[in-house]
Amino acid sequence: MKIVVVGLGYLGATHAACMAELGHDVLGLETDVTRLEALRAGRVPFYEPELEVLLQSTLESGKLRVTQSYQEAADWGDAFFIAVGTPQRKGEYAADLRYVESVIEELVPLIQRDCVIFGKSTVPVGTCARLADRAAELAKDVVVEVAWNPEFLREGHAVQDTLRPDRLVLGTDAEGGLAVVYAQTIYKSLLESGIPFLVMDCASAELVKVAANAFLATKISFINAIAEVSEAAGADVNRIAEAIGYDERIGNKFLKAGIGFGGGCLPKDIRAFMARAGELGAAEALGFLREVDNINMRRRNRVVDIAKKSCRGSLLNKKIAVLGAAFKPNSDDVRDSPALNIAGQMQLQGSTVVVYDPKAMENSKRLFPTLEYASSVADACDNADLVMVLTEWGEFTEIDPIRLREVVREATVVDGRFCLDRDRWVSAGWTYHA
Ligand code: UDX
């Protein structure tokens, strides 16, 4: 089966390389020339473990090629995957669907044989049906089916999540159409290894994705709400999470309290979900997600308050070392990163903020050029009045607190991710806050 993947960002580049790894002939279509040339040269223009090796091997074997041409893609492909972004609209909660829509507008008029377009991007419920209608209008004497095949990959684990997903979901409204057979062919080896394959209508498949992300966001905000109460009561949220996590109905994953969730998915997806529910007249059902968002954003303010208190009530003229800028470790993604947001807030309150992150320096500088940046932990912490660990990179959890103490002005640390060994830091003479 000849597969085209449109949009070679995190999702598309990973999907394209992984489908080639599964043995398919794959053509990746990317209209951003800089990104396209990097990928063609075997370079992944973002940090994702395992992806670069896979990209290079599949390019070398000829299983994966890349192009900028819709015409070439339309002439060649049997199955098309849409993997372009659906960012939050500026000043609104709703998702911006212009990139998804433009794929249909550009691609479908060029297609000359029956085919299936599988949407992978996260979209508001109802999008697939709308795009299917539009594709039927644009198609010239051929059947162009539009189905939805949501992706659940996590940044930092994208390759493994694509090659060994927990489940495959396919949404199709075309009775007796091609989508199920094509998906079974494309994912044959995964299905043979026993991965559950759930076929449903398009609206349900679209909702599976946003429901999963809303649940994960809720779980994180739940434990962070318990953290607020624990703090007030003098209790330990980590022991509570550990204890409730043993209950299989609750489970111990995604119960890590801290500065909350960020990234390119959870924050925007829960907002787009609320906006869509409102359009459907079901806003009340998702009212709790507003609170999930509020709890999450409160975490960022709370850690600034903790920092302020630990600097004796004022951040003015303090030198603050911020360790971590990515929204989570093993990623260089700083979209809606709690760490950078907190760094920005500290600067606005008059401190000099020096940031260090093992992978996210370039992206951070682009987003927050007014912060200062250091090239190592020791550089960032040089003469610091306060050290804040805001992304739980292994490099930070392995810091030797005895040696770090020698470079700082004040041995005070705020652990925004509960990732440091508190006793070790305290016995090395640090004042520890979390
Ligand atoms: C998420 C979903 O997990 C994935 O299934 C979906 O396809 C895309 O969105 P991702 O954005 O890569 O993936 O990040 P994820 O690992 O889910 O973490 C999201 C945020 O939650 C991070 O900022 C992380 O630090 C935070 N988090 C996660 C917590 O604060 N506590 C936790 O217990 C877990």
Side-chain angles (χ1 to χ4, degrees), residues 106-368:
E106 299 259 349
L107 182 67
V108 177
L110 304 174
I111 290 174
Q112 289 181 16
R113 62 187 130 158
D114 294 356
C115 70
V116 182
I117 298 179
F118 294 97
K120 285 204 101 52
S121 314
T122 304
V123 290
V125 58
T127 303
C128 179
R130 196 163 52 73
L131 296 180
D133 289 346
R134 182 66 184 141
E137 282 167 22
L138 292 167
K140 295 192 175 111
D141 304 323
V142 287
V143 176
V144 177
E145 258 179 68
V146 181
W148 223 257
N149 174 217
E151 190 61 75
F152 302 94
L153 59 82
R154 294 161 299 167
E155 289 181 21
H157 303 265
V159 170
Q160 289 311 318
D161 284 353
T162 308
L163 292 176
R164 268 178 284 284
D166 294 332
R167 73 302 210 187
L168 287 160
V169 172
L170 178 68
T172 174
D173 293 337
E175 256 176 59
L178 299 168
V180 176
V181 180
Y182 274 33
Q184 281 168 335
T185 309
I186 292 166
Y187 296 125
K188 187 165 181 280
S189 57
L190 304 185
L191 299 179
E192 281 170 357
S193 72
I195 287 162
F197 180 47
L198 292 95
V199 180
M200 57 192 74
D201 59 275
C202 288
S204 301
E206 291 164 321
L207 279 174
V208 167
K209 174 61 196 266
V210 280
N213 276 354
F215 188 85
L216 294 173
T218 304
K219 214 170 167 191
I220 299 169
S221 277
F222 171 81
I223 201 64
N224 279 329
I226 300 298
E228 285 185 23
V229 181
S230 299
E231 208 182 337
D236 181 345
V237 68
N238 292 316
R239 299 313 307 271
I240 297 168
E242 186 188 350
I244 63 174
Y246 279 112
D247 185 329
E248 278 181 10
R249 295 167 303 173
I250 297 172
N252 60 7
K253 305 243 170 71
F254 267 68
L255 274 187
K256 189 91 192 125
I259 57 174
F261 59 81
C265 293
L266 296 193
K268 88 162 167 61
D269 287 353
I270 61 167
R271 291 172 194 153
F273 195 15
M274 283 186 266
R276 184 65 185 134
E279 286 168 7
L280 293 168
E284 214 181 328
L286 296 187
F288 73 97
L289 283 182
R290 198 171 297 276
E291 201 45 41
V292 165
D293 205 358
N294 282 337
I295 293 167
N296 193 51
M297 298 313 276
R298 260 202 319 266
R299 302 307 285 169
R300 304 177 183 189
N301 304 336
R302 178 70 192 122
V303 88
V304 174
D305 286 346
I306 292 173
K308 202 171 182 175
K309 231 183 188 165
S310 68
C311 288
R312 294 175 203 92
S314 170
L315 290 169
L316 208 60
N317 294 325
K318 293 289 184 321
K319 185 184 167 194
I320 315 289
V322 165
L323 303 183
F327 83 106
K328 67 173 187 180
N330 294 319
S331 168
D332 65 355
D333 197 343
V334 295
R335 285 176 292 172
D336 206 348
S337 167
L340 268 189
N341 177 303
I342 290 161
Q345 287 194 51
M346 307 281 294
Q347 190 190 38
L348 287 175
Q349 299 212 17
S351 340
T352 301
V353 179
V354 187
V355 179
Y356 169 71
D357 187 282
K359 294 284 175 201
M361 298 295 275
E362 292 311 313
N363 287 342
S364 306
K365 284 177 191 169
R366 261 196 298 276
L367 197 67
F368 268 97

Side-chain angles (χ1 to χ4, degrees), residues 17-39:
C18 289
M19 292 304 104
E21 174 71 7
L22 292 181
H24 300 297
D25 292 308
V26 181
L27 181 63
L29 171 59
E30 172 60 58
T31 51
D32 178 330
V33 186
T34 317
R35 174 167 292 226
L36 182 77
E37 289 314 323
L39 291 165

Side-chain angles (χ1 to χ4, degrees), residues 377-384 402-410 430:
V377 170
D379 269 3
C381 296
D382 186 38
N383 266 319
I402 299 174
R403 288 182 59 189
L404 195 67
R405 215 191 134 178
E406 287 162 17
V407 306
V408 295
R409 190 180 302 150
E410 291 274 345
W430 287 75

